[in-house]
Amino acid sequence: MKIFANIPQGAKILNALKIFKKPRKLIYEARARGDFETERKYILESTSTWGKLLCSKLGVEIETNVIIGKSITIDELINEEGYDAVFIGSGAGLPKFMGIPGEQANGVFSANEFLTRNNLMKAFRDDYDTPIHQGKKVAVIGGGNVAMDAARTALRLGAETYIVYRRSEKELPARVEEVHHAKEEGIQFHLLRNPKEILVDENGWVKGLRVIKMELGEPDESGRRRPVEVPGSEYDLDVDTVIMALG
């Protein structure tokens, strides 16, 4: 088995770790003192099944700086390199926004950018210069696993954090354990709520989020009950950062 990654750091499992799991400081300290067994132990405690596979002795090979389709094609992998199968696990593509007023304000992030800046570019570390806006009150829009990752990361950066999701808890697409951990850590869930506008101050920074209450109607094409706005139910959340974790 071989994994092709399109970034130089692709072989470093640390880049895929969520900073809310085993503190990275402990991992870096173990590596710095040459205690690779402890480093491996911490990584195994912090990462996913995929990461555990990479950390194991199963002989998985990793090649970085490879862009499939440019550096090498899938046809070449099969016909010339002798691979029997190719799995494309490219993850999320371009970030998705809602198209509501205020989305261009300072303090609005896509979850892709927010997590990349923290996990890959190490904005959470004092000795790195990666710029990141560490809000005091953060609203994460969405209900999937990435939304939970973004919310829990913001929490560990010191923010009071909210999940805003337009359906009920039953319809949350995130894994049950992710929701459980988020609640356990104190993240507040504003369910059956949908953003209408990001409020912006005179300097162009987020100063709030206007949401409207929703109720569930008939099922849509996904099989889930369609959220319907409740007229006249808008109210404002006091936040200074909004993270879009949609689709």
Side-chain angles (χ1 to χ4, degrees):
M1 178 184 289
K2 189 170 187 177
I3 293 174
F4 296 94
N6 67 351
I7 53 176
Q9 298 90 344
K12 296 181 181 178
I13 298 171
L14 281 173
N15 291 333
L17 297 185
K18 304 177 178 99
I19 65 170
F20 51 76
K21 295 201 173 178
K22 179 63 69 177
R24 292 187 182 200
K25 181 182 178 186
L26 298 180
I27 299 173
Y28 285 119
E29 287 176 349
R31 176 181 294 177
R33 65 176 181 267
D35 187 353
F36 300 114
E37 184 60 33
T38 298
E39 177 194 3
R40 180 175 179 275
K41 171 177 174 288
Y42 285 163
I43 290 175
L44 285 171
E45 290 175 358
S46 304
T47 193
S48 62
T49 302
W50 181 83
K52 289 179 172 63
L53 174 67
L54 297 184
C55 285
S56 71
K57 298 178 180 180
L58 296 181
V60 177
E61 185 180 354
I62 304 170
E63 184 173 342
T64 60
N65 288 310
V66 176
I67 301 176
I68 299 299
K70 291 188 177 181
S71 306
I72 192 169
T73 67
I74 292 176
D75 286 341
E76 289 171 337
L77 287 172
I78 294 174
N79 298 328
E80 299 177 18
E81 300 294 329
Y83 289 96
D84 298 316
V86 176
F87 173 77
I88 302 173
S90 56
L94 294 174
K96 184 177 179 181
F97 289 85
M98 296 184 66
I100 59 176
E103 279 187 327
Q104 301 304 314
N106 297 316
V108 178
F109 293 88
S110 70
N112 306 49
E113 178 186 4
F114 182 76
L115 292 171
T116 297
R117 284 180 179 272
N118 281 286
N119 291 351
L120 183 61
M121 300 171 71
K122 302 179 179 64
F124 68 95
R125 290 182 57 177
D126 293 336
D127 56 335
Y128 272 72
D129 293 327
T130 302
I132 189 73
H133 175 59
Q134 296 186 10
K136 295 180 179 179
K137 293 187 176 182
V138 176
V140 178
I141 315 304
N145 293 320
V146 172
M148 302 303 148
D149 290 349
R152 297 173 71 191
T153 298
L155 185 74
R156 274 152 184 77
L157 291 174
E160 182 178 328
T161 308
Y162 314 104
I163 289 282
V164 179
Y165 180 61
R166 62 181 183 159
R167 290 184 168 96
S168 71
E169 183 169 347
K170 181 180 178 181
E171 285 79 27
L172 280 169
R175 292 189 296 270
V176 172
E177 61 269 25
E178 295 282 353
V179 176
H180 170 76
H181 291 316
K183 285 185 172 182
E184 192 175 52
E185 293 171 1
I187 291 171
Q188 301 175 44
F189 281 70
H190 289 255
L191 302 174
L192 287 169
R193 304 290 188 271
N194 203 40
K196 295 288 286 183
E197 180 183 356
I198 296 170
L199 306 177
V200 185
D201 68 17
E202 63 276 8
N203 296 314
W205 287 89
V206 173
K207 69 173 184 179
L209 180 67
R210 181 157 297 157
V211 301
I212 188 168
K213 295 181 181 179
M214 311 292 284
E215 59 185 12
L216 296 180
E218 295 300 316
D220 61 16
E221 60 276 2
S222 71
R224 295 178 296 174
R225 295 175 64 190
R226 186 187 304 275
V228 179
E229 292 183 355
V230 177
S233 63
E234 294 94 337
Y235 65 95
D236 296 343
L237 280 176
D238 179 20
V239 299
D240 57 16
T241 305
V242 176
I243 300 172
M244 294 292 182
L246 307 170

